[in-house]
C-alpha cells in the first residue's frame, strides 16, 4: 500500500488539489459531452449506432487529470486505454492542443478516431490503442526502443513510459508475456496504471483479486503500489467501528460492492453493515453519517482521490517497472455509476443536463472554456507550456544499395542468403548497416543469424561477461553490450513484433530512423499478426522475416507447415510481401525492403524464406549489367520471366518461392510432350495484385511489371504453384482473362520426405504437368 500522506502539509497543496478538482470535473464533462454530441446532436441520417464509452472515460478522469496537469514531463509518453479516447481529447483540448470544434467530430469521417491513433487523430497521441493488450504493452517496447536509440544515436532523451489500462485488459496473455520477459525487469521508466473498476464489457468481474495481480507483478520484479481507499474512507477507518468498516469492505465480493453503488442512502444503511460480527459496530458508525457523507464514502476509492494519486506518483521507484493498482468506479460521477451494464450506455438528455449543472458546464454551450481568471485555467496554461514538445527534426535514413554485384552459385537456401545479405550490407554500406537492429525470439542460431550476431553483438543495457568466449567449440559468440545490434527476447512472438513496431517508429518519435528486422519461424507468424498489424497502423515500419516456411519443411509435420502467410501482402495494408526463390532474389528483396524503412513515405515488409536447398544456376541471372538490373527491377516489382519457350507458349507456369524447381522440371517434361511452357518466377503476389487493380483504375500502383512478366503476346492458360494456399496466385488469371489452375496447399501437412509431402498436396512435378495438360486439352 502507498503510505497515506494525503493530509501531509505541503506548500500550495490544497490550492493545487482544488484546481485539479475543477479540471477533473471539466474533463468528466467534456468526455461525456463529446460522446453525447456524436450520438444525440450530430445528424445521423443512416441511424447506424455511433457509440462511445462514457462510463469507461469517467473511471479514468481522476488518473488522467493528475497525470497531465501535475505529473507528466515533456519527455514522458502515455498509452491511453482505447475506451478513454474522449477523455484524452478532452485533456488535449484543455491544454490547447485541440480546438473545440474538433470535439464535435468523434467517430465521424475524418474526425477524432474511435480509439487513440498516432497517425489519424489531429491532437497529440503517443500510442495507438484499440486492440486490448497491445496498447498496454506498447510503452514497454517504446522504453526499450528509446534506450536503444539513445545509446547509439543520442537525442531520444529520457522520460517515463506510462500505460493506462483497464483491469479487464489484464486478461490478455500479451500483457503477461511482456511483464515477465527478462528484458523488461530493468526498465524503470515503465509505469502501468491499472483502472481497477472490476467491470468488463458484460458484467462485474466476480473473482478479480488485486492481491493476486500484485503477486504476479511482484514475482516479475515490478514495484506494486495499491491505491484502494481515498481520504474520506481512510479517516472513517480511524473512528470507532472503522476497523469493522475496513474488514467489511476488504472481504466484500465485487458484485456486492457494485450493488452498493446503486443503493439509496436508506438502502445503504441496511446493506452496508452486513449480517456478521461487523453489523453492530457498522450500524453505529453509519448512524453518525448524513446521507451525503454516506453516499460519497462508499465510492471514495484511491483511484479517484487526487492527493493519493499524487503521492503514488511520488513513490515510483525508477529502478524497476512500476504498476499502480488504482481502485475506481466505472462511470464515476455519472448516472450510470457502477451499473453492471454501463460499458456502452449513454446518458439520457435529462441526465446529461444534470451532469452539466453538477460540473459547472453549460449544456447550451458545451465547449465553453474555463473562466480565464480561475486557478484551473491558469494551471492548464502552465501545464500546456511545460508539456510542449519541440518539433522532431528527422534524419533521413542512409541509402541502402540495390545490388551487391555478386552472383551466388552452388546450392543454397533463401534462409542462408538472408544471413549473408546482412553481412554483405555491413561491408558494402556500413552507415546503413549501423541502423539495422535485429530481433529474435530465441531462434537466432536456427535462422542463420549466427554470422551477423558474431559481427555486431547482442544489445544489453549493460555489458555482460561472455563466459564461453574462450570455449573453442562455441561457434555463436554471445557478446552482450550497449553497442550490440541484436535484441534477443524470450519465446513470445507478440513481444517480438511489439518491440519491432516501436523500433520502427523511432524515425517519427525522435527523428532517428532504424532499420528493424524481426526473425521468427514462419508457422508462428499468424500468432504475431495482430500486434504487428497494429504496429504498422501506428506508423511502425519494419521487416518481418518468416523462416523456415511451408510444407517444404517436410519432416516437421503439419504443426510446423505454414499455409496462409504467402498472401499477407495481398491483405495487410502498409506491407509488401516477398517470397524469393533464389539467393540472388533474396538479396535484392532484402535491400528493397530495407529501403522502405524509416521514411514518411515508407512502409513495412514481410519476407517468407525457405530451408529447401536449390541449385542457384537455375536462377539464370544475366551476366550483362543492363540485363541484370532489368532482372533486379522485375524481381523487386513482383515477378520476372525465368524461362521463355520458343514461339508462342501453350501454357504459363507461374511459380513462387521454393516451388520454382518443380515448375522448371515440369516445363522440361511438357516440352518433351510437345507443350511449350513459359515459366514465370513470382516474388511478390501483393505487388502483382496491386498492379492488376491499377490496370482497372482501382489503385495507383505501377503496372509495368505485368507487361514484362506476363506480356500480352504470350498470354496463355496459367498453372500457378506455391508452397501455401493456392488462392494467393489465383488472381493472375485476370491479367489477360485466361483460364487458371491454382495449385497449392489447403490441408494440414504430413511428416515425410519432400517428394512424398509434395505429392500428398498435389504440388509435385507430376501434378503441375497434369494440370498443364488439362488446361491445354492434350490427350
Amino acid at each position: 500500500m502507498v503510505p497515506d500522506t494525503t493530509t501531509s502539509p505541503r506548500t500550495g497543496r490544497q490550492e493545487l488539489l482544488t484546481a485539479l478538482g475543477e479540471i477533473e470535473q471539466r474533463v468528466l464533462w467534456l468526455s461525456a459531452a463529446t460522446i453525447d454530441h456524436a450520438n444525440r446532436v450530430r445528424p445521423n441520417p443512416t441511424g447506424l449506432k455511433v457509440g462511445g464509452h462514457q462510463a469507461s472515460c469517467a473511471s479514468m478522469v481522476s488518473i488522467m487529470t493528475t497525470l497531465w496537469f501535475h505529473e507528466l514531463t515533456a519527455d514522458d509518453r502515455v498509452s491511453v486505454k482505447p475506451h478513454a479516447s474522449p477523455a484524452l481529447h478532452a485533456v488535449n483540448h484543455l491544454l490547447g492542443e485541440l480546438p473545440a470544434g474538433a470535439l464535435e467530430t468523434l467517430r465521424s469521417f475524418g474526425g477524432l478516431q474511435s480509439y487513440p491513433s498516432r497517425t489519424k487523430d489531429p491532437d497529440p497521441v503517443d500510442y495507438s490503442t484499440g486492440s486490448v493488450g497491445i496498447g498496454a504493452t506498447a510503452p514497454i517496447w517504446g522504453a526499450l526502443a528509446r534506450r536503444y536509440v539513445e545509446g547509439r544515436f543520442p537525442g531520444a532523451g529520457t522520460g517515463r513510459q506510462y500505460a493506462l489500462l483497464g483491469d479487464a485488459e489484464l486478461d490478455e496473455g500479451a500483457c503477461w508475456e511482456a511483464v515477465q520477459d527478462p528484458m523488461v525487469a530493468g526498465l524503470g521508466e515503465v509505469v502501468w496504471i491499472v483502472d481497477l473498476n472490476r467491470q468488463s464489457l458484460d458484467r462485474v468481474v466476480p473473482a478479480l483479486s488485486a492481491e493476486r495481480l500484485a503477486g504476479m507483478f511482484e514475482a516479475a520484479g515490478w514495484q506494486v503500489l495499491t491505491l484502494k481507499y481515498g481520504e474520506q474512507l481512510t479517516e472513517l477507518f480511524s473512528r470507532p467501528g472503522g476497523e469493522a468498516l475496513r474488514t467489511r469492505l476488504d472481504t466484500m465480493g465485487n458484485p456486492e460492492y457494485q450493488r452498493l453503488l446503486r443503493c439509496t442512502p436508506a438502502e445503504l444503511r441496511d446493506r452496508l453493515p452486513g449480517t456478521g460480527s461487523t453489523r453492530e459496530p457498522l450500524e453505529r458508525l453509519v448512524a453518525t453519517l448524513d446521507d451525503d457523507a454516506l453516499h460519497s464514502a462508499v465510492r471514495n476509492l484511491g483511484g479517484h482521490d487526487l492527493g493519493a494519486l499524487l503521492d503514488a506518483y511520488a513513490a515510483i521507484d525508477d529502478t524497476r517497472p512500476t504498476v499502480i493498482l488504482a481502485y475506481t468506479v466505472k462511470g464515476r460521477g455519472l448516472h450510470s455509476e457502477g451499473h453492471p451494464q454501463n460499458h456502452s450506455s449513454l446518458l439520457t438528455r435529462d441526465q446529461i443536463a444534470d451532469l452539466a449543472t453538477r460540473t459547472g458546464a453549460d449544456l447550451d454551450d458545451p465547449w465553453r472554456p474555463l473562466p480565464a481568471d480561475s486557478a484551473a485555467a491558469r494551471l492548464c496554461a502552465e501545464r500546456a507550456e511545460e508539456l510542449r514538445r519541440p518539433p522532431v527534426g528527422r534524419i533521413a535514413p542512409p541509402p541502402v544499395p540495390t545490388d551487391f554485384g555478386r552472383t551466388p552459385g552452388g546450392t543454397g537456401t533463401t534462409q542462408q542468403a538472408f544471413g549473408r545479405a546482412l553481412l554483405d550490407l555491413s561491408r558494402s554500406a556500413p552507415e546503413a548497416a549501423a541502423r539495422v537492429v535485429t530481433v529474435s525470439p530465441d531462434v537466432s542460431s536456427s535462422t542463420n543469424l549466427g554470422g551477423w550476431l558474431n559481427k555486431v553483438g547482442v544489445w544489453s543495457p549493460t555489458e555482460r561477461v561472455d563466459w564461453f568466449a574462450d570455449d573453442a567449440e562455441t561457434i555463436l559468440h554471445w557478446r552482450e553490450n550497449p553497442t550490440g545490434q541484436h535484441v534477443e527476447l524470450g519465446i513470445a512472438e507478440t513481444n517480438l513484433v511489439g518491440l519491432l513496431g516501436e523500433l520502427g517508429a523511432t524515425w517519427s518519435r525522435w527523428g532517428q530512423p532504424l532499420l528493424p528486422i524481426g526473425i521468427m519461424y514462419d508457422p508462428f507468424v499468424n500468432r504475431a499478426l495482430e500486434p504487428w498489424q497494429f504496429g504498422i497502423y501506428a506508423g511502425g515500419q519494419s521487416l518481418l522475416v518468416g523462416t523456415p516456411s511451408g510444407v517444404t519443411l517436410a519432416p516437421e509435420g503439419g504443426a510446423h507447415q505454414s499455409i496462409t502467410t504467402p498472401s499477407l501482402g495481398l491483405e495487410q495494408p502498409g506491407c509488401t510481401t516477398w517470397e524469393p526463390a533464389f539467393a540472388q532474389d533474396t538479396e535484392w528483396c532484402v535491400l528493397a525492403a530495407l529501403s522502405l524503412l524509416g521514411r514518411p513515405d515508407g512502409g513495412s515488409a514481410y519476407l517468407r524464406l525457405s530451408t529447401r536447398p536449390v541449385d542457384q544456376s537455375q536462377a539464370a541471372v544475366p551476366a550483362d549489367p543492363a540485363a541484370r538490373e532489368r532482372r533486379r527491377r522485375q524481381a523487386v516489382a513482383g515477378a520476372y520471366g525465368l524461362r521463355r519457350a520458343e514461339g508462342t507458349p501453350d501454357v504459363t507456369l507461374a511459380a513462387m518461392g521454393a516451388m520454382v524447381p518443380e515448375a522448371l522440371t515440369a516445363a522440361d517434361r511438357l516440352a518433351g510432350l510437345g507443350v511449350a511452357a513459359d515459366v514465370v518466377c513470382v516474388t511478390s503476389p501483393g505487388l502483382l495484385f496491386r498492379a492488376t487493380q491499377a490496370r482497372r483504375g482501382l489503385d495507383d500502383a505501377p503496372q509495368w511489371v505485368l507487361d514484362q512478366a506476363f506480356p500480352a503476346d504470350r498470354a496463355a492458360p496459367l498453372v500457378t504453384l506455391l508452397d501455401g494456399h493456392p488462392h494467393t496466385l489465383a488472381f493472375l488469371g485476370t491479367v489477360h482473362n485466361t483460364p487458371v489452375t491454382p495449385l497449392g496447399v489447403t490441408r494440414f501437412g504430413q511428416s515425410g520426405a519432400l517428394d512424398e509431402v509434395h505429392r500428398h498436396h498435389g504440388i509435385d512435378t507430376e501434378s503441375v504437368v497434369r494440370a498443364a495438360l488439362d488446361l491445354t486439352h492434350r490427350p
Side-chain angles (χ1 to χ4, degrees):
M1 295 287 290
V2 177
D4 178 27
T5 59
T6 55
T7 58
S8 61
R10 294 185 186 175
T11 304
R13 168 99 170 177
Q14 190 54 52
E15 290 82 356
L16 171 64
L17 292 178
T18 299
L20 287 173
E22 292 179 33
I23 295 172
E24 174 189 40
Q25 290 300 295
R26 187 52 58 100
V27 173
L28 175 64
W29 164 253
L30 289 173
S31 58
T34 297
I35 298 168
D36 182 73
H37 188 280
N39 286 271
R40 301 186 188 280
V41 180
R42 192 170 67 221
N44 183 8
T46 66
L48 189 68
K49 174 188 172 183
V50 177
H53 302 86
Q54 290 172 326
S56 295
C57 288
S59 65
M60 291 291 295
V61 162
S62 306
I63 294 169
M64 295 178 70
T65 297
T66 51
L67 260 186
W68 265 270
F69 295 95
H70 181 268
E71 187 64 21
L72 293 182
T73 72
D75 284 337
D76 296 338
R77 299 291 186 273
V78 188
S79 170
V80 178
K81 74 174 188 178
H83 294 154
S85 66
L88 175 60
H89 297 311
V91 166
N92 282 335
H93 169 64
L94 292 175
L95 291 171
E97 298 283 2
L98 190 70
L103 296 176
E104 300 180 353
T105 68
L106 180 70
R107 300 193 175 200
S108 66
F109 185 78
L112 299 176
Q113 299 301 295
S114 304
Y115 310 121
S117 172
R118 280 193 76 222
T119 56
K120 294 181 179 294
D121 276 320
D123 52 332
V125 174
D126 293 330
Y127 290 98
S128 295
T129 60
S131 186
V132 292
I134 295 174
T137 59
I140 289 178
W141 312 124
L144 204 157
R146 187 205 61 76
R147 287 198 182 198
Y148 184 92
V149 169
E150 182 64 20
R152 301 186 67 85
F153 312 104
T158 58
R160 288 177 178 164
Q161 300 278 338
Y162 290 89
L164 309 184
L165 60 152
D167 48 12
E169 200 162 357
L170 292 175
D171 290 346
E172 289 288 344
C175 291
W176 299 107
E177 287 183 351
V179 165
Q180 63 81 43
D181 192 278
M183 189 67 76
V184 173
L187 299 177
E189 63 268 46
V190 171
V191 180
W192 282 14
I193 305 177
V194 180
D195 171 19
L196 202 71
N197 59 48
R198 293 170 281 184
Q199 282 188 236
S200 62
L201 189 151
D202 291 328
R203 60 174 183 159
V204 177
V205 181
L208 178 66
S209 168
E211 291 76 15
R212 179 175 61 85
L213 293 176
M216 294 167 69
F217 279 104
E218 287 171 346
W222 288 50
Q223 177 193 24
V224 179
L225 303 175
T226 302
L227 294 179
K228 190 168 187 180
Y229 302 119
E231 182 178 2
Q232 184 183 3
L233 273 176
T234 301
E235 191 276 327
L236 285 177
F237 294 156
S238 66
R239 296 186 187 183
E243 280 304 313
L245 176 60
R246 184 193 294 271
T247 299
R248 173 82 170 113
L249 292 175
D250 281 346
T251 57
M252 185 181 295
N254 295 333
E256 184 182 3
Y257 171 75
Q258 293 286 109
R259 183 63 185 89
L260 293 181
L261 300 175
R262 309 293 300 169
C263 289
T264 65
E267 292 171 330
L268 269 178
R269 295 182 188 281
D270 178 59
R271 287 175 179 258
L272 181 58
T275 58
S277 60
T278 61
R279 183 169 184 84
E280 185 176 342
L282 273 183
E283 284 180 330
R284 291 196 297 268
L285 176 61
V286 167
T288 67
L289 305 176
D290 61 29
D291 285 353
D292 288 343
L294 181 60
H295 179 272
S296 63
V298 169
R299 49 196 31 83
N300 180 229
L301 300 182
H304 299 299
D305 190 299
L306 303 179
L309 285 162
L310 296 185
D311 291 336
Y313 304 149
I316 292 172
D317 175 5
D318 286 322
T319 66
R320 55 181 173 150
T322 295
V323 60
I324 299 174
L325 301 175
Y327 281 74
T328 61
V329 173
K330 192 164 185 175
R332 164 82 175 191
L334 306 180
H335 283 75
S336 60
E337 185 177 72
H339 193 284
Q341 281 85 50
N342 67 6
H343 183 77
S344 298
S345 66
L346 297 171
L347 298 179
T348 66
R349 184 65 177 173
D350 289 342
Q351 290 169 346
I352 198 76
D354 178 65
L355 180 64
T357 300
R358 288 189 289 109
T359 59
D362 185 343
L363 186 62
D364 296 324
D365 186 10
W367 323 124
R368 184 182 67 188
L370 291 164
D373 59 348
S374 67
R378 290 194 297 272
L379 180 56
C380 287
E382 291 169 7
R383 292 300 291 156
E385 190 62 32
E386 292 168 354
L387 294 176
R388 187 164 290 117
R389 297 170 185 166
V392 175
R394 293 174 182 167
I395 297 174
V400 176
T402 58
D403 191 341
F404 293 134
R406 176 177 53 82
T407 303
T411 299
T413 73
T414 54
Q415 178 177 289
Q416 292 168 341
F418 168 71
R420 284 197 300 270
L422 289 182
L423 289 175
D424 286 343
L425 183 69
S426 66
R427 301 185 190 103
S428 301
E431 289 188 6
R435 298 274 173 174
V436 171
V437 53
T438 53
V439 186
S440 171
D442 199 34
V443 294
S444 300
S445 57
S446 56
T447 54
N448 286 88
L449 279 183
W452 168 255
L453 261 66
N454 286 342
K455 183 173 181 61
V456 303
V458 178
W459 183 84
S460 173
T462 58
E463 188 163 359
R464 297 175 181 173
V465 176
D466 179 6
W467 293 105
F468 289 87
D470 59 348
D471 187 335
E473 297 183 7
T474 298
I475 299 175
L476 183 63
H477 298 291
W478 207 258
R479 295 180 289 106
E480 298 180 85
N481 55 65
T483 63
Q485 290 181 242
H486 175 79
V487 182
E488 188 85 359
L489 299 176
I491 306 175
E493 285 76 13
T494 55
N495 286 350
L496 178 141
V497 295
L499 175 56
L500 207 58
E502 290 307 317
L503 290 169
T506 60
W507 66 274
S508 58
R509 287 197 191 282
W510 301 293
Q512 289 289 355
L514 297 176
L515 308 180
I517 304 173
I519 303 95
M520 68 173 66
Y521 292 162
D522 192 75
F524 308 137
V525 166
N526 284 333
R527 187 184 301 174
L529 277 183
E530 187 200 4
W532 190 52
Q533 168 184 293
F534 217 80
I536 294 174
Y537 170 77
Q541 298 173 2
S542 60
L543 169 57
L544 183 61
V545 179
T547 183
S549 65
V551 300
T552 50
L553 192 62
E556 293 282 352
H560 284 96
Q561 295 171 359
S562 51
I563 295 174
T564 61
T565 51
S567 62
L568 281 182
L570 295 169
E571 298 146 2
Q572 175 57 53
C575 171
T576 301
T577 291
W578 283 286
E579 185 170 344
F582 302 106
Q584 185 62 75
D585 297 348
T586 303
E587 172 195 303
W588 289 335
C589 293
V590 168
L591 295 175
L594 293 178
S595 71
L596 296 174
L597 306 180
R599 298 164 27 187
D601 60 344
S604 294
Y606 174 66
L607 203 65
R608 189 176 191 248
L609 304 179
S610 173
T611 50
R612 182 186 187 185
V614 172
D615 178 2
Q616 298 302 308
S617 67
Q618 292 182 330
V621 178
D624 180 82
R628 177 187 176 97
E629 172 59 14
R630 182 173 184 268
R631 165 71 71 85
R632 185 199 68 80
R633 291 183 69 247
Q634 292 172 343
V636 168
Y640 58 88
L642 179 57
R643 183 183 297 179
R644 299 298 190 194
E646 292 186 12
T648 302
D650 300 306
V651 67
T652 297
L653 310 180
M656 185 166 73
M659 302 312 301
V660 169
E662 271 66 27
L664 290 170
T665 303
D668 292 338
R669 291 266 300 274
L670 289 168
L673 296 171
V675 178
D678 279 357
V679 178
V680 175
C681 181
V682 175
T683 54
S684 177
L687 291 177
L688 294 184
F689 181 74
R690 289 196 61 191
T692 60
Q693 291 290 85
R695 182 170 282 182
R696 293 166 175 80
L698 302 175
D699 203 320
D700 59 357
Q703 308 170 37
W704 62 266
V705 67
L706 296 178
D707 297 326
Q708 295 190 12
F710 301 95
D713 61 352
R714 300 189 71 80
L718 272 165
V719 177
T720 63
L721 177 67
L722 75 154
D723 188 354
H725 201 285
H727 81 84
T728 306
L729 298 180
F731 73 91
L732 289 176
T734 67
V735 173
H736 295 299
N737 295 318
T738 55
V740 60
T741 298
L743 302 180
V745 181
T746 58
R747 295 171 289 168
F748 286 113
Q750 300 286 335
S751 298
L754 193 59
D755 58 343
E756 294 173 321
V757 173
H758 283 179
R759 190 179 310 116
H760 172 73
H761 290 286
I763 56 175
D764 58 329
T765 299
E766 296 286 335
S767 298
V768 177
V769 171
R770 284 197 300 270
L773 293 176
D774 288 343
L775 279 174
T776 56
H777 305 291
R778 298 302 174 97

